[in-house]
Amino acid sequence: MRRAGPIRRGRWSAMLGFLRFLVIGFVLMTVLYGLLTVYVRSLTRERLEEEWEKEGSIGERDAYVEEGIKDYERSFRPKLLLLVYILPLIAFCAIFYVTNFM
């Protein structure tokens, strides 16, 4: 009779599990990034529309909003959304290091 014990897995099955974790994590972070991008752009658009109304509705509304959106896209704020990818990676590396080497 065989003694009950931990199931032995090969080196490759552990690597495949890690790769599956990375792929699923990347897909989830991409979905989150897309949703946040759409949400923040809609908030910016609403803010620009309200500014246009407060300034006395001078000029065409769509042109004003589009110019504001172009300014927003060139600013630093949309680049901050890339932290959706960077922060989880830093947290994962820190947890991995602390768990295995401390």
Side-chain angles (χ1 to χ4, degrees):
M1 277 187 118
R2 245 179 104 176
R3 210 171 65 162
I7 298 173
R8 292 184 182 178
R9 293 186 179 179
R11 181 173 46 164
W12 294 107
S13 66
M15 185 61 117
L16 288 176
F18 180 70
L19 287 176
R20 182 178 50 207
F21 170 74
L22 284 179
V23 168
I24 291 172
F26 181 74
V27 167
L28 290 176
M29 288 186 293
T30 302
V31 168
L32 180 63
Y33 176 77
L35 291 173
L36 282 174
T37 300
V38 169
Y39 177 69
V40 171
R41 279 181 60 95
S42 72
L43 288 178
T44 303
R45 183 174 291 277
E46 286 179 21
R47 180 182 52 82
L48 288 168
E49 289 171 353
E50 289 174 8
E51 283 179 12
W52 181 78
E53 289 175 6
K54 287 180 183 177
E55 290 179 2
S57 305
I58 299 172
E60 186 146 344
R61 177 177 153 180
D62 292 335
Y64 180 83
V65 171
E66 288 304 317
E67 184 66 31
I69 291 292
K70 286 179 185 175
D71 290 340
Y72 165 76
E73 289 172 350
R74 288 184 293 241
S75 70
F76 187 65
R77 286 185 66 203
K79 291 160 187 69
L80 286 176
L81 290 177
L82 290 174
L83 292 175
V84 167
Y85 289 106
I86 296 169
L87 291 180
L89 181 63
I90 290 172
F92 175 76
C93 290
I95 291 169
F96 182 80
Y97 179 78
V98 167
T99 302
N100 289 312
F101 300 111
M102 288 190 134

